[in-house]
Structures are given as structure tokens and as C-alpha cells.
């Protein structure tokens, strides 16, 4: 079920491009989760990229953002959100706020989003974007997300949007029973998108969702 938030319309007349993105890049592939599709139709992606990249905001690609980072391809954002299998009552932790776009997408589906970014400029820009759009269920923090955000744990779902060498044990600890963790793991160039489910008995079930390419996860439990 999708949350019924009232949000400001910041589409600047680009709704048709967003609908085209959802039709040709998500529905035509394997994105079927209705809450994810509705959310991707609700958040104006061009508001999350730099001025000189706005023309390409609804294209099928990742784009460069500030601090040498990237906003992920729309399909990958939708794939990860779908893999988290979110409920409207879920509390979610995201590592790698970046532009804020994926946190915004998650915030239209789940109850509360906590997102951590290591670059303060990105955290600041994301906060401003959330304020403008009235997305008031997202909390942003600057720091090393590989350590998680223990004060707010446990989380029903955790999303890592940068590629690390291993699954940080701190994130496993902060995952609630029946929680889902989605994380790219591999080397600095190529990773596999993994989904880890924690059972009620604290067992971990791991699935490989395919090959992906993310910027590196830098931190205590990531790359140095
Ligand atoms: N979710 C983002 C979006 O929608 O724009 C995608 C962000 S980008 C692919 C990954 C982000 O992870 C970068 O902004 C990078 O600075 C951040 N990052 C890398 N390591 C981190 C860490 N240990 N803690 C927090 N953020 C980290």
C-alpha cells in the first residue's frame, strides 16, 4: 500500500517525461511492484540533478552529481526499492544519500527513512530538496554509513547505494528479524547486488540479484 502523503508538485511541466521513463525503463523490464511504480511517478527526478544535467534526468542512465558522485539509473533505483519489499509501516536505513533521489523514492512507500552520506555538501543539498517537496519523513546524517545508525535501529530494511568489499556486520546487527538488506558487493569496478533476509531465528538468507556497477563504499567497513 502506498503512503498517502500530500507533496508539492515540483514537476515543472515534466510529468510526461517521468511517465515515459516509468513505462519504457521500468514496466517494460521487471518492475511490477505497484508502490514502487507509483513512487517513481511521484518524485521529480530532474530536481535531484545539477542544472547542466537536468535535460537528461529522465534518461535510462546514471548521471554525475556534486562531489564526483552519481545519481543511480532510474531502473536500478526501482530494482533496489522493489527488492526491499517494503511495507507502509517500515523503518528504512539508507547508506549513500547522494542526490537524495532514492531516499525520496523510499519515503513515498515506507514510514520513515534514515539516510547517511559521507559528503556534507550532498547531505545539505538533499535536505534542501526534501524540504522544498515537503518530504518530512526523511532524516539525513553526515557520517560513515558502514557503521549504520545504531540509535535508530533496528530497521525493517537497509539499502546500501555504494559498492563495498563485504557485507558490514554492523548493518546485519541493525537489521530487524524478517528485515531485508540490499547491498552491492564486489570489487571497486563491478559488484553483485545481494539481498540478505534475516529470519525470525536470526538466520541469514542470501540471494544474488545480478551484476551492477556502483561508486565505492568508503569507510570503516568499506574501502579505505
Ligand atoms: N542514493 C543515491 C541517489 O539517489 O542519488 C545514489 C548515491 S551514489 C551511487 C552513492 C553515494 O554513497 C555517494 O554519494 C557516496 O558519497 C556515498 N557513500 C560512499 N561511502 C559512504 C559511506 N561509508 N557512508 C555514507 N555514504 C557513503
Amino acid at each position: 500500500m502506498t503512503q498517502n502523503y500530500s507533496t508539492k508538485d515540483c514537476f515543472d511541466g515534466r510529468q510526461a517525461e517521468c511517465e515515459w521513463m516509468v513505462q519504457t525503463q521500468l514496466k517494460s523490464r521487471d518492475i511490477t511492484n505497484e508502490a514502487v511504480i507509483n513512487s517513481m511517478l511521484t518524485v521529480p527526478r530532474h530536481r535531484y540533478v545539477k542544472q547542466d544535467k537536468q535535460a537528461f534526468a529522465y534518461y535510462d542512465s546514471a548521471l554525475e552529481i556534486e562531489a564526483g558522485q552519481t545519481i543511480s539509473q532510474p531502473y536500478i533505483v526501482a530494482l533496489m526499492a522493489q527488492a526491499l519489499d517494503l511495507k507502509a509501516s517500515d523503518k528504512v536505513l539508507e547508506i549513500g544519500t547522494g542526490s537524495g533521489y532514492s531516499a525520496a523514492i523510499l519515503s513515498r512507500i515506507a514510514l520513515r527513512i534514515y539516510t547517511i552520506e559521507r559528503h556534507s555538501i550532498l547531505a545539505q543539498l538533499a535536505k534542501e530538496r526534501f524540504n522544498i517537496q515537503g518530504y518530512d519523513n526523511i532524516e539525513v546524517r553526515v557520517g560513515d554509513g558502514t557503521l549504520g545508525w545504531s540509535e535508530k535501529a533496528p530497521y525493517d530494511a537497509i539499502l546500501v547505494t555504494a559498492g563495498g568489499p563485504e557485507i558490514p556486520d554492523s548493518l546485519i546487527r541493525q537489521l530487524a528479524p524478517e528485515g531485508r538488506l540490499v547491498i552491492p558487493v564486489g570489487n571497486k569496478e563491478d559488484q553483485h547486488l545481494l539481498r540478505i533476509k534475516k529470519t525470525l531465528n536470526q538466520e541469514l538468507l542470501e540471494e544474488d540479484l545480478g551484476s551492477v556497477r556502483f561508486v565505492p563504499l568508503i569507510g570503516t567497513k568499506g574501502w579505505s
Side-chain angles (χ1 to χ4, degrees), residues 93-95 116 141 143-153 155 158 168 170-171 174 221:
L93 174 67
E94 180 195 39
I95 314 305
I116 312 178
R141 176 190 213 179
D144 177 4
T146 64
L147 302 174
W149 189 334
S150 57
E151 299 90 322
K152 309 288 182 181
Y155 302 96
I158 302 179
S170 27
L171 299 185
Q174 292 175 30
K221 305 281 173 157

Side-chain angles (χ1 to χ4, degrees), residues 69-72 94-102 116-119 122 143-146 161-162 215-218:
Q69 302 302 315
T70 54
I71 176 173
S72 304
E94 180 195 39
I95 314 305
T97 315
S99 67
Y101 180 69
S102 51
I116 312 178
E117 171 55 53
R118 58 187 290 271
H119 291 287
L122 294 179
D144 177 4
T146 64
T161 68
V215 295
L217 179 70
I218 313 253

Side-chain angles (χ1 to χ4, degrees), residues 56-141:
F56 316 107
Y58 297 95
Y59 285 21
D60 191 13
S61 62
L63 293 170
E64 192 198 314
I65 58 171
E66 295 79 4
Q69 302 302 315
T70 54
I71 176 173
S72 304
Q73 180 193 8
Y75 170 68
I76 291 293
V77 174
L79 182 72
M80 293 190 298
Q82 179 165 274
L84 289 173
D85 198 14
L86 296 173
K87 294 190 289 299
S89 57
D90 279 351
K91 186 164 80 169
V92 184
L93 174 67
E94 180 195 39
I95 314 305
T97 315
S99 67
Y101 180 69
S102 51
I105 292 294
L106 301 176
S107 79
R108 304 301 84 199
I109 307 171
L111 186 64
R112 189 134 200 99
I113 315 300
Y114 297 93
T115 179
I116 312 178
E117 171 55 53
R118 58 187 290 271
H119 291 287
S120 53
I121 174 70
L122 294 179
Q124 186 53 39
L125 286 168
K127 273 188 208 170
E128 286 166 18
R129 290 165 180 151
F130 302 148
N131 284 340
I132 288 169
Q133 289 181 256
Y135 295 167
D136 59 6
N137 61 336
I138 310 174
E139 226 175 290
V140 186
R141 176 190 213 179

